[in-house]
Amino acid sequence: MTNQKVEQPGVFPTGPTNDAFAQYFIGQSYNNTLVTPGDDVSVPVGNVTFEPGCRNNWHIHHNGSQILLVTGGQGWYQEAGKSAQLLNPGDVVIAHDGVKHWHGATKDSWFSHLAITTGESEWLEPVEDDAYNQLT
């Protein structure tokens, strides 16, 4: 990767490194928590930014779902058994309850999305390098 500095591809600040979930990512991600559940709000919202080539592991949301609002860069979203979907700013993805999926940046672009997540996340195996590297 030629550009080593952290970029802000979306409209929200990138935030600190996503250390709490680093074990579930290949590459470096960043998380800026925008809404923390509290007394009057039950749904967290985070701005997740992926460096080029970064992606999260396959995962499933149980008893809930995840809405991804793409705010910057270019990335991928894939559900198990389906082709990967190229994502650009303005795209909206819904990962429904119980659907195995992953998301992350393309090989040559930073990528940011807002993640609105309910329920519990079950983290699974990493996305294989061979499968990821074949995406174009």
Side-chain angles (χ1 to χ4, degrees):
M1 182 171 55
T2 58
N3 187 349
Q4 294 294 323
K5 77 178 186 77
V6 175
E7 292 193 9
Q8 182 177 323
V11 296
F12 295 96
T14 298
T17 56
N18 192 9
D19 297 335
F21 291 91
Q23 64 185 336
Y24 306 118
F25 285 74
I26 294 173
Q28 185 63 61
S29 68
Y30 304 83
N31 186 16
N32 180 11
T33 301
L34 302 174
V35 177
T36 302
D39 295 333
D40 58 346
V41 175
S42 62
V43 180
V45 179
N47 177 48
V48 182
T49 300
F50 302 76
E51 71 179 7
C54 178
R55 70 257 188 202
N56 54 29
N57 289 5
W58 288 96
H59 57 286
I60 299 171
H61 302 286
H62 296 286
N63 302 310
S65 58
Q66 185 174 56
I67 299 170
L68 305 177
L69 306 174
V70 180
T71 59
Q74 197 171 55
W76 295 107
Y77 171 83
Q78 184 175 17
E79 294 181 356
K82 296 184 180 180
S83 297
Q85 175 183 343
L86 184 63
L87 300 177
N88 291 292
D91 288 342
V92 176
V93 173
I94 301 173
H96 293 281
D97 188 8
V99 175
K100 182 177 176 180
H101 67 283
W102 69 271
H103 35 103
T106 62
K107 289 175 266 207
D108 58 359
S109 176
W110 287 80
F111 176 61
S112 283
H113 62 56
L114 297 183
I116 304 165
T117 309
T118 61
E120 298 295 322
S121 299
E122 176 187 3
W123 291 98
L124 304 167
E125 73 277 6
V127 175
E128 294 183 17
D129 288 341
D130 288 343
Y132 177 81
N133 289 329
Q134 290 178 20
L135 297 174
T136 56

